[in-house]
């Protein structure tokens, strides 16, 4: 499966964008405040795992020209345009699972997920 952005048009009024829960926004802000020059996080995807795609998070110091910016409560989430067909409508959350705290992605386009939760298919 090759990533293609031809199906996503940011000028189309039918797109949903991304949202962040207050917990996710708070954690993104805290991460950015800890490192000088960090503006926020970039949420991308890569081909991986048994279901097809995996989420990738990186800090952003210099946004890419094709990054879309989603802001909530001072938190900045950058998303490469080519990832949008696969994650449009996703809610980013930050939750505690046992002793771990992790980002969770509530993606309405994900038709299946692998058993370990590391990858998804559309």
């Amino acid at each position: 499966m090759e990533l293609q952005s031809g199906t996503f048009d940011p000028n189309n009024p039918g797109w949903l964008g991304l949202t962040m829960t207050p917990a996710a926004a708070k954690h993104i802000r805290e991460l950015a405040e800890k490192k000088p020059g960090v503006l926020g996080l970039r949420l991308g995807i890569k081909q991986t795992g048994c279901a097809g795609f995996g989420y990738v998070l990186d800090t952003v110091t210099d946004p890419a020209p094709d990054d879309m910016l989603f802001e909530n409560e001072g938190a900045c989430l950058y998303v490469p345009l080519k990832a949008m067909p696969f994650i449009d409508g996703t809610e980013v959350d930050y939750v505690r699972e046992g002793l771990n705290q992790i980002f969770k992605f509530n993606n309405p386009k994900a038709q299946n997920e692998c058993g370990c939760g590391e990858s998804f298919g559309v």
Side-chain angles (χ1 to χ4, degrees):
M1 289 182 255
E2 183 178 320
L3 299 180
Q4 295 181 1
S5 62
T7 59
F8 182 80
D9 179 358
N11 298 314
N12 180 344
W15 69 282
L16 302 172
L18 271 70
T19 58
M20 290 175 260
T21 64
K26 179 182 179 205
H27 191 67
I28 291 170
R29 273 193 323 274
E30 289 171 351
L31 289 172
E33 290 168 0
K34 287 180 183 178
K35 294 186 177 182
V38 171
L39 303 174
L41 291 182
R42 177 176 291 112
L43 172 60
I45 60 169
K46 65 178 180 176
Q47 290 181 275
T48 188
C50 50
F53 298 101
Y55 300 101
V56 179
L57 284 169
D58 293 305
T59 56
V60 175
T61 55
D62 187 25
D66 71 335
D67 278 346
M68 299 188 72
L69 173 60
F70 298 93
E71 292 183 80
N72 182 13
E73 300 178 11
C76 296
L77 184 63
Y78 298 86
V79 180
L81 184 59
K82 69 181 181 181
M84 286 303 295
F86 304 96
I87 61 175
D88 184 34
T90 296
E91 175 192 62
V92 179
D93 196 3
Y94 189 71
V95 299
R96 178 180 299 261
E97 290 187 349
L99 298 175
N100 299 319
Q101 293 183 9
I102 61 170
F103 281 103
K104 290 288 252 183
F105 307 97
N106 302 313
N107 184 346
K109 293 188 177 263
Q111 296 178 358
N112 58 347
E113 294 181 348
C114 68
C116 63
E118 293 294 318
S119 64
F120 68 98
V122 292

